[in-house]
Structure formats: C-alpha cells, structure tokens
Amino acid sequence: MNPPVIQAQGLSKRFVNNEVFNDINLSVNKGKSLAIIGGSGQGKSVLLKCLVGLMQPDTGKILFDGEPLQGKHIQKFFDSFGIVFQGAALFDSIPVWENISFKFKYSGTHSIKARRKIASQKLDLVGLPSSNLDLYPSELSGGMQKRVGIARAIATEPKILFFDEPTSGLDPITSNTINNLIRFIIKELGSTAITISHDLNSIRTIADDIVLLHKRKIEWSGSIDTFEKTKNINIREFIKPSST
Amino acid sequence: MIFRFFFKVGALIFNLFFIIGAVSRFFLEIIFTGFAPPFYLKEIMKQLYRVGYTSLPVVGLTAFFTGGALALQIFEGGSRFNAESVVPSIVAIGMVRELGPVLGGLMVAGRVSAAMAAEIGTMKVTEQLDALKTLSIEPVKYLVFPRVVASAISLPILVSVGNTIGIMGGLFVGTTRLGFDSQLYLLNTLEFLTIDDFTSSLVKATFFGTIIAIMGCFNGFYSKRGAEGVGRATTAAVVSSSILILASNYFLTEWLFKP
Ligand SMILES: Nc1ncnc2c1ncn2[C@@H]1O[C@H](COP(=O)(O)OP(=O)(O)O)[C@@H](O)[C@H]1O
Ligand SMILES: [Mg+2]
C-alpha cells in the first residue's frame, strides 16, 4: 500500500450563514486518482480550494506527505502540484507559450528560449500543434483553452494534479478527448490526482476511487468497482440518468 | 418607524467603517508586499504606458477647453470693474492650483480606475487570481503595486502637461477673442505664478493618482462573482475614486495653503 500524499482531517467551511460542508475526511494514496463527485453547488470547488490552500477551512487540517501544511512546508506543497481551474483561468494578456511556462517567468532560472521549449513540449503532450504557441487565450476554443490549462498545470511535472470539472462546458466528443488526455497525463507523470466532476464519463475514465459530496457530508466513498455496484440511493441517482 | 430609520443609519455607518477598514488593510498590504524584491519592473513600465501615455489626449483636451472657458469667464467678470488685465494670472493660478489636478484626476479616474476594476474583477471571477497564487505569484504585489506606482508617477506628469495646455487654451482665447497681446499675456502669466503653485499641483496629482489606482484595484479585488459583480465593481471604482479626489482636494488645499 502506498503512503497517503494528501489527507484532509475534519474540514468544515461556512460563508456567513451558508454552511458548505462539515467534518470532511479524505485521503489519497500516492499514484491514485480520486474523484470528488456531487451535484452543482454542493461545495466541490470550495473543498478543492481548501485542499490546495487557496481558502482557509474554518476547522480541520490538511496533511501533505504526512505533515501539516504550515511554514516552509506550504511552499514545498505549492511547488509540488498543478491545478486546472474550471474555466481554464488562462492569463488573457500573455500568449499561450508564456501561459504554459508562467511558473518560470519570474523564477530567474530559465531563458526565454528554455521557456518556449518547455511550452512547446507540454503543448505537444496535450495534443496541440506548436503553431498555437504565439496565439492569445481569447483566440482559442473552449477545448483548446482547457488543453492549454492542462499544459500549464503540468509544466513543472508535478507530483500532484488537481482538476476542477475538466469537461464542464465542453461538447461530448471534446469531453471524451479531455478525459482520455487526463488519464494519459496522470499515467505518464505517475502523478497523484484529485478530480472534481459531475460527469459520469470522466469518473469512469479517470478515477480509481470516488467520494460523493452531498448535503455537507461525504455521503459515500469507495473504489470505482464498488461504485458501479453500490445500492446507495444517491449514487444510483447519479449513475441512472446518464446511463440511459 | 423611527426605530427602523435608526437601524438603517446604524447599518450604513457600520458599513462605511467596515469599508474604510478594508481599504486601509488593502493599502498596508500593497506597501508591505510591494516594497520587497522581486520588483516587476516590466509591469510598472506597461502600466506607465497605459495609465500615463494613453491618458494624454483626454487630459490635454479637457485642459485646453477649460483654460479657454476660464479666460472668457474671467474677462467677462473682470470687465464689470475694469479689471480685464487679471485674465492671464487668474487663468494660470486657477488651472495650476485647482482645475488642472482636479479635472485631470477626475478624467483619469473615469478611464483608468474603471479599467483596473474591470480587468482585475474579471481576473478574480475567472479564477486567474487563484491561478497566480498557485504559481507562487502574489496578486497584490504583481498586479496592484505596479498599477499604484505607475499611477502615482503618471498623474503629476499628466497634470503638468495639462496645466501647460490649459494656460495655452487661455492664451489662445485671450489673443483671438479678447484682444490680448500674446507676449504680454505670457509675461503676465509667468509673473504671478509661484513655485508653491506648481508644487501644490504636483502633490495633489500624486495623491489623486494613488487614489485612482487603489480604488480601481480594491473594487476589482473584492468584486462579487459573475459578470454583474464586475459591472458593479467598475461603477463603484469610478464613483469612490471621484468622491475621494474631490474630498481630499479640499483638505489638501487647506493644508497646502493655510489661510
Ligand atoms: N467565495 C465565496 N463566497 C461566498 N459563498 C461562496 C463562495 N464560493 C462558493 N460559495 C458558496 O458555496 C457553495 C458551494 O459552491 P461551490 O463549491 O462552487 O459548488 P460546486 O460543488 O458546484 O463546485 C455555494 O452555495 C456557493 O454559493
Ligand atoms: Mg464548482
């Protein structure tokens, strides 16, 4: 059994009088791919932001490699993960190649040539031709933006990858390609992954393990095999409409 | 009824103090993160171009027409007690001390603080600010500090150019419509202007530039989610920076020209 890379213990979060979730515990082992599923507005994005340190949970703590996130450990954590946001979140004012290699833009360690090389390699890995390097994000389609977002997240070949609804807003065919791409990337880099989704196809393509976030709690958790067979009413509801 | 009135007033005052607190905290964060390396010089240059250079036409045109109108008004007013000769000096003093910085500040507030709020607000709602943080870049340091510095540098320059153009506007109207001799007009202008007039103009402009950038960025940073949130942030940026410019102008005038 591989050791856990990320653990959440007793997380809760509320906004004024809107309790988003309460006492969330989860753990992802090295090299595993976890999917967090749940209906829209159930707090999946907020949970992800707490996990990566973009939001402070009200209670509970996050462990990275078994140690709580504090002091120098936080920077180490920030250098170990890549994240793809729901809308790709590319920087509009700079071209694709600078977006992808942004992490090295101000690090003082890479020349422009080196940064362009990284960008073109990663662009290739996500299946886009290097003719896109000098385009601006606004000139790309939604699916291409997602790919560039993925390329930016893997620029440092991180140990951990986070995806927030990677297929939302995409047509079914593009969604499929993105799902396969994510699976390929995870295997290629040997990364640990946490993916937020409410897309059944994504889950079946990407996930080893699944947790269902429902009504402020983790309502169900298990492996992909048990997921298909469970009698849990909320999981059945989740699977039913899409499989028809 | 009465109770509800007091409740509303109370809530309003509470909100006001809350916002003042939030802006002050934002300001301190800009100072503390900004004045430590690394410095994003390229970003500062980019903003100098966008705030300063591209505002020149707006500020210039405003100043020219204001200087011209001022000359007409003062000539008409002065002629009531045979004092038409004060036109050059009063146009100059009025432009440099008050109208140059205030109108320049307001025009730039409309353009620049709105643009900053819209840009940063959009970055917030599309999670670009979050993306920056995960790439180890502090958004306040990277986005806000360069804008504040560029704006605080640009405004005094813009206002100085505006002052000059405003005086030229007065000169143009004075010589073409009011029968002044151009050489005499300029001589009169220079005779009455003091160094204090210029420094007060520059001090005011620097203040206004800082206000414009801070209010633009603050409103963008705290914009609510969605396109509507960004729209509101843009309006709030223009309104708040304009009011702060007018209010601080009064106190700066009182401070700079103790009666
Ligand atoms: N920054 C925020 N401020 C206030 N409320 C928020 C914020 N972010 C999310 N919420 C609220 O938290 C709840 C969960 O949102 P979210 O995590 O985005 O849902 P989803 O599961 O669709 O990703 C929603 O009710 C949302 O309105
Ligand atoms: Mg979400």
Side-chain angles (χ1 to χ4, degrees):
Chain A
M1 193 79 176
N2 289 331
V5 177
I6 292 194
Q7 289 163 280
Q9 297 177 343
L11 294 190
S12 33
K13 178 78 187 170
R14 64 159 58 236
F15 295 109
V16 198
N17 45 22
N18 172 16
E19 185 179 51
V20 184
F21 47 75
N22 188 355
D23 195 26
I24 299 287
N25 296 290
L26 53 85
S27 166
V28 196
N29 291 340
K30 192 162 186 292
K32 288 286 178 190
S33 169
L34 175 78
I36 300 173
I37 65 174
S40 138
Q42 293 291 331
K44 303 183 299 295
S45 294
V46 172
L47 177 57
L48 188 76
K49 291 210 171 128
C50 288
L51 286 179
V52 299
L54 285 171
M55 260 184 202
Q56 284 304 312
D58 300 331
T59 66
K61 59 181 174 193
I62 318 283
L63 307 184
F64 163 56
D65 279 345
E67 281 176 60
L69 280 184
Q70 50 186 239
K72 281 205 177 111
H73 203 49
I74 295 182
Q75 193 52 51
K76 198 177 150 216
F77 176 58
F78 264 69
D79 291 335
S80 318
F81 75 78
I83 178 166
V84 182
F85 290 91
Q86 203 162 336
L90 301 177
F91 306 125
D92 307 309
S93 58
I94 52 177
V96 164
W97 76 269
E98 284 212 273
N99 262 286
I100 297 175
S101 59
F102 193 85
K103 182 97 187 186
F104 307 109
K105 188 170 158 106
Y106 299 104
S107 62
T109 51
H110 290 65
S111 65
I112 289 185
K113 211 174 145 199
R115 286 194 283 133
R116 271 191 85 93
K117 189 160 168 231
I118 290 173
S120 117
Q121 280 169 352
K122 299 306 176 211
L123 206 60
D124 186 48
L125 209 57
V126 298
L128 287 178
S130 56
S131 56
N132 291 299
L133 280 175
D134 292 301
L135 295 182
Y136 282 81
S138 58
E139 299 172 285
L140 305 177
S141 72
M144 288 159 90
Q145 290 186 1
K146 279 270 159 74
R147 286 179 196 248
V148 175
I150 295 173
R152 181 176 69 186
I154 61 173
T156 57
E157 316 210 329
K159 296 196 328 188
I160 312 168
L161 281 168
F162 295 98
F163 301 91
D164 190 353
E165 309 222 5
T167 59
S168 76
L170 300 180
D171 63 86
I173 296 171
T174 315
S175 295
N176 242 331
T177 333
I178 295 285
N179 287 332
N180 289 326
L181 172 65
I182 290 175
R183 190 175 61 179
F184 166 74
I185 296 280
I186 295 173
K187 292 276 176 291
E188 185 81 6
L189 301 180
S191 305
T192 308
I194 295 184
T195 307
I196 283 185
S197 184
H198 55 209
D199 171 0
L200 197 58
N201 285 323
S202 284
I203 298 155
R204 286 183 170 143
T205 315
I206 298 169
D208 299 317
D209 297 299
I210 291 156
V211 302
L212 171 70
L213 190 62
H214 186 72
K215 293 204 173 143
R216 299 181 277 285
K217 293 277 177 208
I218 290 191
E219 156 83 23
W220 185 90
S221 66
S223 70
I224 182 75
D225 302 324
T226 51
F227 170 78
E228 302 284 3
K229 291 179 205 123
T230 177
K231 297 218 159 51
N232 179 296
I233 173 90
N234 290 305
I235 300 278
R236 301 276 21 124
E237 291 244 311
F238 196 85
I239 294 179
K240 210 173 57 189
S242 315
S243 56
T244 50
Chain B
M1 200 41 205
I2 295 255
F3 178 75
R4 270 200 24 203
F5 173 75
F6 278 111
F7 185 79
K8 281 229 164 104
V9 172
L12 215 72
I13 294 174
F14 180 82
N15 268 335
L16 189 68
F17 277 98
F18 183 81
I19 292 172
I20 292 174
V23 174
S24 314
R25 227 190 76 183
F26 191 65
F27 182 67
L28 289 180
E29 199 182 338
I30 299 169
I31 301 292
F32 280 117
T33 59
F35 285 107
F39 298 103
Y40 301 110
L41 287 179
K42 249 196 187 157
E43 290 301 307
I44 297 180
M45 299 308 281
K46 207 162 99 185
Q47 293 305 322
L48 276 174
Y49 175 81
R50 284 169 56 172
V51 178
Y53 184 72
T54 63
S55 295
L56 267 174
V58 177
V59 173
L61 281 172
T62 308
F64 186 80
F65 287 115
T66 307
L70 211 54
L72 287 180
Q73 289 283 17
I74 294 163
F75 185 81
E76 208 281 322
S79 68
R80 291 179 204 169
F81 26 90
N82 298 322
E84 295 92 339
S85 61
V86 297
V87 169
S89 53
I90 296 196
V91 166
I93 290 175
M95 270 320 287
V96 174
R97 284 191 180 190
E98 285 294 323
L99 293 172
V102 172
L103 289 181
L106 289 177
M107 294 309 285
V108 178
R111 280 189 85 235
V112 170
S113 74
M116 287 179 182
E119 190 181 7
I120 295 182
T122 305
M123 291 186 77
K124 167 160 185 182
V125 301
T126 57
E127 298 183 297
Q128 291 178 51
L129 298 186
D130 285 334
L132 275 179
K133 283 188 212 159
T134 62
L135 295 164
S136 306
I137 300 283
E138 185 50 55
V140 169
K141 185 177 172 57
Y142 180 65
L143 296 171
V144 181
F145 186 73
R147 282 170 171 74
V148 174
V149 170
S151 191
I153 294 175
S154 298
L155 255 277
I157 300 172
L158 281 171
V159 165
S160 302
V161 174
N163 289 341
T164 314
I165 295 179
I167 290 171
M168 291 306 141
L171 172 74
F172 180 75
V173 172
T175 49
T176 55
R177 311 262 294 122
L178 307 175
F180 279 86
D181 172 66
S182 64
Q183 224 150 14
L184 217 66
Y185 189 104
L186 277 178
L187 225 61
N188 241 318
T189 301
L190 294 175
E191 197 181 346
F192 278 94
L193 280 177
T194 65
I195 289 289
D196 284 355
D197 298 326
F198 287 108
T199 38
S200 79
S201 202
L202 296 182
V203 168
K204 282 181 173 184
T206 311
F207 252 85
F208 299 163
T210 312
I211 287 173
I212 288 166
I214 289 183
M215 293 323 288
C217 296
F218 175 81
N219 283 289
F221 244 79
Y222 290 95
S223 90
K224 295 260 160 31
R225 304 199 292 173
E228 196 193 336
V230 178
R232 277 170 198 264
T234 310
T235 312
V238 177
V239 172
S240 59
S241 55
S242 302
I243 290 176
L244 279 176
I245 285 173
L246 292 169
S248 66
N249 176 60
Y250 173 81
F251 292 106
L252 284 170
T253 306
E254 182 132 335
W255 173 59
L256 289 162
F257 303 100
K258 278 189 200 79

